[in-house]
Amino acid sequence: MLYCSETILNWLKENNMFSSDCKYFIRNTLNGTVIDVDGNVNIAEQNLNEIPINFGHVWGDFDCSGNNLQSLNGSPVFVSGDFMCQRNNLASLENGPEIVNGAYICYENKLTRLQGIAKLIKKYIECALNPIESIDDNLNITL
């Protein structure tokens, strides 16, 4: 995980993680450095084992699909567009976003439950090709 503001900026620029017209805001919190992005974030197909930055709010889509993620640590808390985490090695959706104003796409992982999924999803959930055993009765999702 990257913590220093300068290191975060360098990593984002080197890896071309969002378009040049994106605006981003780095803030220091009690839990460390967090980046908010006004625009789409694309860290897909980067062979990542973890999300290397703590994202806060993303006003756009957040795509971390096609990596080797086993955890959603570092995911934004809020995504105004679609949240895409498909084709990883996720066994849990814990530490993912709490609010997704678009679709929540998590197909082709190792999910046996949807525990930890966002509390508010405005469009739909796509979770096919997971070994889901049951839908938790206590799952509280607003669609």
Side-chain angles (χ1 to χ4, degrees):
M1 186 72 66
L2 303 175
Y3 297 102
C4 170
S5 296
E6 187 175 327
T7 306
I8 290 171
L9 283 175
N10 288 337
W11 186 85
L12 290 168
K13 289 176 184 174
E14 286 171 10
N15 292 288
N16 202 21
M17 294 297 124
F18 40 70
S19 62
S20 58
D21 60 339
C22 261
K23 293 184 174 89
Y24 48 89
F25 314 93
I26 296 176
R27 52 192 171 94
N28 294 311
T29 69
L30 294 174
N31 296 324
T33 303
V34 174
I35 184 166
D36 296 325
V37 180
D38 184 3
N40 297 328
V41 175
N42 183 357
I43 56 173
E45 308 290 337
Q46 298 291 318
N47 204 28
L48 298 174
N49 293 318
E50 66 177 2
I51 298 172
I53 296 171
N54 283 321
F55 287 91
H57 296 83
V58 173
W59 288 275
D61 295 335
F62 186 88
D63 188 353
C64 61
S65 62
N67 284 296
N68 298 312
L69 301 179
Q70 295 182 16
S71 164
L72 290 176
N73 287 334
S75 290
V77 175
F78 168 85
V79 179
S80 73
D82 295 339
F83 179 75
M84 296 162 274
C85 63
Q86 70 271 19
R87 296 185 338 272
N88 276 292
N89 294 311
L90 298 170
S92 168
L93 298 174
E94 298 288 339
N95 300 309
E98 295 175 16
I99 298 172
V100 175
N101 280 343
Y104 196 113
I105 303 168
C106 57
Y107 66 82
E108 219 172 310
N109 277 290
K110 297 179 178 178
L111 302 171
T112 57
R113 302 175 340 156
L114 295 179
Q115 197 66 33
I117 198 165
K119 301 291 185 223
L120 176 64
I121 300 168
K122 291 273 179 112
K123 286 188 179 176
Y124 59 87
I125 302 167
E126 188 174 336
C127 59
L129 301 174
N130 279 293
I132 294 177
E133 296 168 354
S134 67
I135 303 295
D136 190 339
D137 290 339
N138 296 322
L139 202 57
N140 185 12
I141 303 172
T142 303
L143 291 172

